[in-house]
Amino acid sequence: MPSTRRWREQRWLVDAVIGTVGVDWDQGRSFYLQAPCGVDAYADFEGVRKQVRRFDDITPAFAAAADRRERMAREADTAGHGVTARRNYFTAAVLHGAAQWPIFENSDANRELDGRKLACYARYAALADHHVERVEIPFGDTSLPGWLHLPPGARERPVPAVLSIDGMDGFKEMQVALDGDPLLGRGIAVLAIDGPGQGECTLRGIHVTAGNWRQVGPAVLGWLRARPEIDAGRLAMQGISFGSYFATLAAASAPGWRGCAVAFVCHEPACTTLFESASPTFKLRFMYMAGHEDEEAFDRFARGFDLTGVGAALECPYLVIAGERDELSPIEHTHRLLAELRGPRELLLYEGERHGLHSSSSSRLGPDFADHAADWLLRRLDGVPARSRQLYVEATGAVTETAWEEAPRDPVADPAD
């Protein structure tokens, strides 16, 4: 199991902060885990928030909530209440996945939680209100696991599709909402995967490197184009948090994507702020994702995570949604990446906001980031030309639009392009 100097020295401080602030001391994890489950899961996640007072409480609290939901799902399933069962199976799967996050080794406990997560989600898929299919994407001499979600009508005509990539502590089972998913609701299929270093891949020994997400882009592009339900000419991708790094590499390495949208950015070269200034758990997690246990060797390895020059290779339109005061990846690194792009680029920047877009009035009163991304992606998939612009969301929720080289304009009520 990996360990770092800061983790050993600051473990007492992490527990002290959790005891004061709660389970969301490093970012709003419990809230973005709750979001795909809907309001019905509020009590589950609020219970976890109340129970967690130190780091070692996180896995047991989420596991207990998952046990309860799984039990409810099985009871409803046995009674023939399919809708109730699928809702509970979905939430149980997400809770099992959440319980895995603080485990930084391929232990028996981690494997058991993963197995229960997959079993719950598979049963949800069988009962879902749309087609959900377990898939494997060929990747070198192995494969990447995923779930393909098809919107209603996909069997009648080919539909556009988006590859969805989560971050360091995400997993494919939380990437498509139980109800009202922004992409499915717009008639777009979603392929949610665990790529190198994520979810099942880490348990399979498929670790992340600075460059192996370059191979994900062409692998997924070829797989999607071979599916009869998918319109091979209307493909895009999105990435969240560290998925903003992964998606940028994947999109730049495979021409054919119509657009790439990223949010909660991780664009800083070597991830210095994330690994050396933020909570020490971030570095621990990534060492596990990369298969490293020696900190000095990992520090050398981390220097390779650098998107310099990648922007110039990005052929498709690129959307970035970020907080002005991102504490995990200073925003100047995102500006530097955007300056490299030769094609259309858009930046939606929230005033005073942090990494997770959950702590400022600009994100609460301004445009919903997920809807903005989904609308932008749909227009790219529909062939609407993108234009370069910057959108600045003020604390009041008002949006100022600026063409890329122009002076700021007056606030606009509707930021949609």
Side-chain angles (χ1 to χ4, degrees), residues 27 32 101 164-172 174-175 193-199 202 208 213 238-247 263-264 266 274 282 285-286 289 355:
Q27 56 180 317
Y32 63 67
W101 173 78
S164 185
I165 303 169
D166 218 313
M168 286 174 60
D169 48 2
F171 44 92
K172 61 190 178 303
M174 61 179 284
Q175 291 182 53
I193 67 167
D194 285 335
Q198 296 178 313
T202 308
V208 64
W213 276 84
Q238 65 178 10
I240 299 293
S241 196
F242 218 99
S244 68
Y245 177 95
F246 299 148
F264 309 179
C266 287
L274 180 66
F282 286 110
R285 180 71 191 178
F286 211 84
M289 292 170 60
H355 182 76

Side-chain angles (χ1 to χ4, degrees), residues 2 17 22-23 96 109 113 123 127 182 190 223 227 232 245 248 260 282 284 289 306 315 333:
V17 173
V23 70
H96 281 307
L113 287 166
R123 188 57 188 151
L127 298 168
V190 182
W223 188 89
R227 292 286 304 210
Y245 177 95
T248 304
C260 177
F282 286 110
L284 273 180
M289 292 170 60
D306 189 344
E315 297 184 3
H333 302 292

